[in-house]
Each structure stands twice: as C-alpha cells, then as structure tokens.
C-alpha cells in the first residue's frame, strides 16, 4: 500500500525530505511510521498550482488520472514512466512488463 499526501507547494528536489512523519495504525493496533522522503510532482502552472486547479472533492477522477500519468510507474511501481500510447510503464524488465498500471487502485480524499 502506498499513501500519497498532497501539499500546497512544489515537491522538494531528489534526495530531500520535509518535516513530519506519517503514522499508520493497523486494525491489530501496530503503528508504522514513515518519513516524507519520496516525492512525486504533478505538473503545475507558472503560478505553482496544478493545471488546472480544481478542488479534489468534485474532481477525483481528474486527480487519479494525473497520479497515474505522473506518479504510479516511476514512484510506486518503480517501472519507468507511464506511456500514454501503450497504457503501460516504459520499463519492461522483471515484473514490470506484466504489471498494468491502469489497474492500480487510487483513492483520493480531500480535506478543507
């Protein structure tokens, strides 16, 4: 399971991190903590906002598509980038050739 947290600012450079920690509690009560040290940038306008800037609650399918195109293959599956022409990741080594990134379940939740 991969959790993606959106921010209001651009992604830090490769190898950087940002302050804070995510804590995930399992149904059994085990707590796992994760630093924010892996980033995926969704393309932005010259003003620094997602293009177009739409609220998450009413545009989840748009943001799911942006995450698929810009994040799933590279950051989550580690299988190269997403090829819109084939609908697959560009890396064909190992298991990457058999993974269909469009079947990745992406759920988006907004918070005001």
């Amino acid at each position: 399971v991969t959790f993606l947290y959106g921010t209001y600012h651009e992604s830090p450079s490769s190898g950087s991190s940002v302050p804070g920690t995510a804590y995930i509690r399992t149904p059994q009560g085990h707590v796992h903590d994760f630093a924010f040290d892996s980033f995926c940038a969704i393309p932005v306008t010259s003003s620094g906002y997602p293009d177009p800037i739409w609220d998450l609650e009413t545009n989840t399918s748009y943001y799911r598509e942006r995450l698929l195109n810009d994040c799933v293959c590279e950051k989550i599956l580690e299988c190269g980038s997403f090829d819109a022409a084939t609908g697959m990741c560009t890396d064909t080594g190992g298991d990457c050739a058999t993974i269909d990134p469009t079947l990745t379940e992406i759920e988006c939740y907004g918070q005001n």
Side-chain angles (χ1 to χ4, degrees):
V1 174
T2 300
F3 294 91
L4 301 171
Y5 296 89
T7 66
Y8 56 88
H9 54 76
E10 293 185 29
S11 294
S13 60
S14 180
S16 298
S17 65
V18 295
T21 304
Y23 296 94
I24 307 296
R25 183 184 309 271
T26 68
Q28 295 78 22
H30 298 84
V31 177
H32 302 273
D33 60 285
F34 306 91
F36 298 114
D37 58 5
S38 179
F39 308 101
C40 176
I42 292 178
V44 296
T45 64
S46 60
S47 63
Y49 292 101
D51 180 27
I53 184 165
W54 291 336
D55 65 288
L56 178 62
E57 290 79 8
T58 57
N59 297 284
T60 55
S61 62
Y62 167 78
Y63 285 105
R64 280 189 196 106
E65 187 70 21
R66 294 299 289 265
L67 289 169
L68 173 63
N69 291 341
D70 299 309
C71 303
V72 171
C73 288
E74 180 182 354
K75 296 294 183 177
I76 297 171
L77 300 175
E78 297 180 348
C79 290
S81 58
F82 182 73
D83 183 342
T86 65
M88 299 293 281
C89 300
T90 56
D91 185 343
T92 57
D95 291 333
C96 290
T98 62
I99 299 171
D100 183 347
T102 63
L103 299 178
T104 303
E105 183 174 331
I106 300 173
E107 296 188 23
C108 298
Y109 301 95
Q111 180 179 350
N112 293 330

